[in-house]
Amino acid sequence: MKATAIAHANIALVKYWGKRDDDLLLPQAPSLSVALDRLITTTTVELGAAQDSLLLDGRPAERGELLRARAVLDAAGIRERARIESRNDFPTGAGLASSASGFAALAAAAVAAAGQERSLGELSALARLGSGSAARSVPGGWAVWRDREAEQVAPPEHLPARLLVAVCAQGPKEVGSREGMKRTRDTSPYHAAWIEQCRRDLPEALRLLRERDLAGLGALAERNALRMHADALAADPPLVYWEPATLGCLRALQRLRSDGVGAWATIDAGPHLVAICAPSDADRVARALRLVAGVREVIACAPAGGVRVVEAS
Ligand code: DP6
């Protein structure tokens, strides 16, 4: 009746930004991500409580978060009330997104606590009901999410890469992905073009991944992220997720490239920038990012695997 699971956060190289179903959290376009080894959530679920409760890093969660967790349990057919405790083992909690790793770990822990046997695909579909991007943290590695569930298309070691997370601000962002994505879909005049772009980018990204072409994949990921932000900037009211340090990091990567160092950026719906580079360039790229004004810390990650249950009783 009690189980603990661990999952990694992921960063998308072809982004999910637009739902075709707001209740089922189904995407308008497919996305591709890689799991990040140093960004980990550990979640324990104990069934049979008097009422549902959710502690996030020791603090009671907001009602909305509790309802999202309940939606995952309901979809798994778990009627018992649950005591859920979730911890982010992120180097510092500087506003880094944790919903992907959080809901992936929750789905796996809840199902294990209930004694259910489920495939990774089923777990992915359950995690998706908490947060769309969580579908990709279940299989981990290099993962593609097209519709109800995500799947691993290549194991973590397929393409040696480093993902350097430059922390560009502190605290939670003003407009979360849930709301920002909806606003963009409903008001940006560029949204149809963005969705078409993702549908073209995914097969190209999969070809580059298969060929282990890090330069090609990095450049594609940077273009894809900037186009997502172009779409969000065009929303009404506009969504400006960047801080000055975000732009400073983009410029630093451009300078590195003109010096012959391969490093490319991706940016989620927030101020932090993730640089993609080869392991042999990681120290040099991390040093350059640390010198950018406003960068608080740089977390060097390698590709990681999927969710795993570490304890069940
Ligand atoms: C910009 O998965 O957090 O990180 O499905 O509404 O919970 P909901 O949104 P969420 O959105 C992630 C958006 C993104 C891009 C991505 O991870 O693909």
Side-chain angles (χ1 to χ4, degrees):
M1 295 309 272
K2 182 173 172 181
T4 300
I6 285 180
H8 297 275
N10 69 76
I11 182 77
L13 306 178
V14 175
K15 306 241 184 242
Y16 150 56
W17 194 249
K19 293 178 180 67
R20 68 177 168 80
D21 188 313
D22 289 336
D23 298 323
L24 291 177
L25 280 67
L26 293 169
Q28 290 178 295
S31 55
L32 166 71
S33 66
V34 59
L36 304 174
D37 67 345
R38 292 188 62 205
L39 303 187
I40 300 169
T41 300
T42 304
T43 300
T44 300
V45 174
E46 192 173 357
L47 299 177
Q51 56 176 45
D52 283 339
S53 65
L54 170 56
L55 281 184
L56 292 175
D57 282 330
R59 275 195 299 273
E62 285 166 21
R63 190 173 151 68
E65 290 164 317
L66 186 59
L67 289 177
R68 281 162 80 169
R70 183 26 73 187
V72 172
L73 301 186
D74 279 346
I78 299 172
R79 302 270 168 266
E80 296 106 308
R81 302 293 108 183
R83 209 175 70 82
I84 307 165
E85 244 190 275
S86 194
R87 284 207 174 272
N88 287 322
D89 191 1
F90 295 2
T92 64
L96 291 173
S98 59
S99 68
S101 48
F103 284 108
L106 170 71
V111 158
Q116 299 178 2
E117 297 277 345
R118 296 226 184 219
S119 68
L120 270 188
E122 288 174 312
L123 273 187
S124 173
L126 287 173
R128 187 200 82 233
L129 295 170
S131 199
S133 54
R136 299 185 309 239
S137 276
V138 169
W142 304 85
V144 168
W145 171 36
R146 294 175 195 276
D147 194 51
R148 303 189 65 80
E149 60 190 55
E151 58 171 348
Q152 188 179 107
V153 291
E157 63 280 3
H158 169 79
L159 175 61
R162 290 294 176 269
L163 297 307
L164 309 177
V165 184
V167 178
C168 291
Q170 202 154 24
K173 58 198 177 202
E174 278 164 37
V175 182
S177 294
R178 183 72 46 103
E179 186 191 334
M181 202 180 290
K182 186 172 187 321
R183 187 190 299 173
T184 306
R185 181 196 63 196
D186 294 348
T187 66
S188 164
Y190 307 149
H191 192 64
W194 154 251
I195 292 301
E196 279 309 310
Q197 187 65 48
C198 291
R199 291 180 183 149
R200 280 193 299 272
D201 281 351
L202 185 82
E204 177 67 1
L206 287 176
R207 182 184 66 78
L208 295 163
L209 178 63
R210 201 164 42 240
E211 294 171 1
R212 298 186 167 85
D213 182 345
L214 184 66
L217 188 59
L220 183 148
E222 184 169 302
R223 282 195 303 276
N224 183 271
L226 294 181
R227 285 167 176 170
M228 182 194 95
H229 284 272
D231 191 22
L233 282 164
D236 181 15
L239 291 158
V240 186
Y241 283 111
W242 298 6
E243 292 294 331
T246 318
L247 191 55
C249 288
L250 262 180
R251 292 261 182 257
L253 297 185
Q254 281 170 351
R255 277 195 299 275
L256 282 168
R257 290 205 293 267
S258 60
D259 291 345
V261 179
W264 298 269
T266 183
I267 308 165
D268 274 349
H272 313 306
L273 178 144
V274 180
I276 304 157
C277 66
S280 55
D281 290 327
D283 286 345
R284 174 145 182 213
V285 176
R287 262 200 311 279
L289 293 175
R290 284 192 186 101
L291 287 176
V292 173
V295 170
R296 292 160 179 273
E297 108 179 86
V298 175
I299 304 160
C301 298
V307 73
R308 55 202 183 274
V309 174
V310 292
E311 223 182 291
S313 57

